[in-house]
Amino acid sequence: MGSSEDNLKGFILALLSSGFIGASFIIKKKGLRRAAAATGVRAGVGGHSYLLEPLWWAGMITMIVGEVANFVAYAFAPAVLVTPLGALSIIVSAVLAHFILKERLHKLGILGCVMCICGSIIIVTHAPQEHPITSVLEIWNMATQTAFLLYVASVIVLVFILVFHFAPQCGHTNVLVFTGICSLMGSLSVMSVKALGTSLKLTFEGNNQLIYPETWFFMLVVITCVVTQMNYLNKALDTFNTAVVSPIYYVMFTTLTILASVIMFKDWDGQSGGNIVSEICGFIVVLSGTILLHVTKDFEKSPSFRGNYAPASPTLSTQLRTGNGELLSHDEEDATSPEEMRVRQELY
C-alpha cells in the first residue's frame, strides 16, 4: 500500500465500515426475531412490530455508522481500494451468523471467506497512491474530461434502454435487468460520493468548497443516483432470490465502479503493469469468494444431507433462468420452509 497516510486511513475506515455493516445484519435479524416472537407476525408478511424493538434500531444505527465510515473512506483512498473491501462485510455477517444465529457456515462458504480475505490483502498491498486534490474544481475537470463524459453518456443511454425497453418486457424474468440498472447508477453514485466527500474533507480542513456550485451539483447527483439505485435494488430483491441478486449485484457494481474510477481519477496512472495485474487478480479472487459464499449460504447440513451437503435451494444457473425459483420441487420446498426463507430475506 506504500507510505500513503491517506490510503491507510481509507483502508482502516473501509474495514470499520465492513465490520459495522456486517454486524448490523445480525443485530437487525435478532431484533426481527424478537419482534416476531412477541407479536406472532413476521416482517416478511407485513408486520411492522420491529419498529418498536430497540434491538432492531440498534442494528439500523450500526448500519448507518458503517455507511458513514464508508463514505469518509472514499474521501481518503481510491475506489479501487475501498470498493472491493465491501466484500468483508459479507464475511463478518456470515461468521457472526454462524456463532450467534447458529446458521452453520458450509465448508465451501469458509473457503469463500478465505478467498475474500486473501484477495483483499492482494488489493491493499498493490493499491495505487491517491493523487492529492486541493479543490473541487480539480475533480470537476476530471469529471468533464472526454473519456469520462463518454462513460457517463454510455451509462445514461444503457439505463434508459433498460428502464424503458427491457424492464417492462423481461424485468421480472431476467435478474440482469434490475441489477444492471442498480450497478450502472451505483458506479456514478460512488464517483459523486468520492467527489462530495473530498469537498467536505477540504472544507473541514479550512479550505471551504461549499462556495462552489460544483460541490452542490455533486450532491444532487449523489441523491439522484442513490434514490434510483435503491428503487431498482428493492425491485430486484422483491422479484428474485437474494442468493442470486446479491453476488450478481456485487460483481457488476464493483466492476463498473472500478472502471469508472480508473477513467475519472486515473487510479492506475504511474503504476507498473505488475501492480495493475496483481490488483485485477486480487479483485477476481474477492469476486469468486463472494459468489462462493453466497451460493453456499443456504446449503443444509441436516443428517440426511450430511454426506453430500445437498443444497436447499436451486442452483445459481437454475435460479437465473427461473427468476425467484418458482420451479422448486416439493422436496426442496419442504427442506426450507417459507418462514425460514423470509427470515433469511430479512438478513440479506
Side-chain angles (χ1 to χ4, degrees):
M1 189 166 57
S3 59
S4 172
E5 184 179 346
D6 281 350
N7 267 20
L8 179 60
K9 291 178 181 178
F11 169 65
I12 293 174
L13 286 167
L15 286 183
L16 290 174
S17 171
S18 295
F20 278 111
I21 293 175
S24 71
F25 289 134
I26 307 304
I27 299 172
K28 285 171 66 180
K29 184 168 183 178
K30 292 281 286 186
L32 289 168
R33 285 183 172 180
R34 184 178 295 180
T39 63
V41 181
R42 295 183 179 276
V45 293
H48 298 285
S49 58
Y50 61 87
L51 294 175
L52 302 176
E53 176 55 53
L55 194 59
W56 185 85
W57 282 107
M60 281 297 298
I61 293 173
T62 304
M63 177 172 283
I64 291 172
V65 171
E67 294 293 353
V68 171
N70 191 55
F71 175 86
V72 178
Y74 280 111
F76 289 98
V80 174
L81 170 62
V82 176
T83 304
L85 292 178
L88 298 180
S89 65
I90 302 172
I91 297 178
V92 173
S93 63
V95 172
L96 291 179
H98 178 83
F99 290 105
I100 297 176
L101 301 177
K102 306 305 179 184
E103 295 181 354
R104 298 305 174 189
L105 193 59
H106 189 270
K107 289 182 178 179
L108 290 177
I110 296 175
L111 175 60
C113 292
V114 173
M115 292 174 65
C116 288
I117 294 174
C118 292
S120 298
I121 292 174
I122 296 173
I123 291 172
V124 171
T125 304
H126 298 87
Q129 299 292 325
E130 182 82 321
H131 301 295
I133 297 176
T134 59
S135 170
V136 69
L137 298 179
E138 291 184 34
I139 305 178
W140 180 256
N141 289 334
M142 297 177 186
T144 53
Q145 61 183 306
T146 304
F148 189 70
L149 288 177
L150 289 175
Y151 176 81
V152 173
S154 300
V155 166
I156 293 174
V157 170
L158 285 174
V159 167
F160 271 88
I161 292 175
L162 288 172
V163 170
F164 295 106
H165 180 71
F166 287 102
Q169 294 184 5
C170 55
H172 293 278
T173 57
N174 191 326
V175 68
L176 297 178
V177 176
F178 290 150
T179 54
I181 297 171
C182 297
S183 302
L184 289 165
M185 296 301 292
S187 68
L188 296 184
S189 69
V190 169
M191 296 304 99
S192 302
V193 162
K194 183 168 179 59
L196 181 60
T198 303
S199 300
L200 294 178
K201 171 191 167 188
L202 293 172
T203 299
F204 291 139
E205 290 175 349
N207 185 5
N208 187 11
Q209 301 297 303
L210 300 181
I211 59 175
Y212 298 108
E214 288 82 359
T215 299
W216 299 100
F217 175 80
F218 284 127
M219 182 178 295
L220 178 63
V221 174
V222 168
I223 295 173
T224 303
C225 291
V226 168
V227 169
T228 305
Q229 185 181 352
M230 290 300 100
N231 176 45
Y232 283 95
L233 180 59
N234 287 333
K235 288 185 177 183
L237 291 172
D238 185 57
T239 306
F240 302 96
N241 193 307
T242 309
V244 177
V245 174
S246 296
I248 292 177
Y249 172 61
Y250 178 79
V251 170
M252 295 177 66
F253 166 71
T254 307
T255 303
L256 289 169
T257 297
I258 291 177
L259 175 62
S261 182
V262 168
I263 295 174
M264 179 174 172
F265 292 98
K266 304 188 185 306
D267 293 325
W268 286 345
D269 278 13
Q271 274 202 299
S272 65
N275 279 337
I276 295 175
V277 171
S278 297
E279 289 173 39
I280 294 174
C281 290
F283 176 52
I284 293 174
V285 172
V286 171
L287 293 183
S288 302
T290 303
I291 294 173
L292 186 61
L293 183 57
H294 270 288
V295 169
T296 61
K297 74 181 179 65
D298 286 336
F299 278 23
E300 292 290 342
K301 286 191 175 182
S302 60
S304 59
F305 295 108
R306 205 174 290 275
N308 54 11
Y309 296 107
S313 58
T315 62
L316 180 62
S317 59
T318 301
Q319 292 181 51
L320 280 170
R321 292 193 302 268
T322 63
N324 201 20
E326 295 88 351
L327 301 184
L328 280 169
S329 66
H330 293 297
D331 290 340
E332 290 172 326
E333 289 174 345
D334 291 338
T336 305
S337 66
E339 297 269 320
E340 185 180 352
M341 292 292 288
R342 285 192 290 269
V343 171
R344 286 174 179 164
Q345 183 83 3
E346 291 298 329
L347 172 60
Y348 291 95

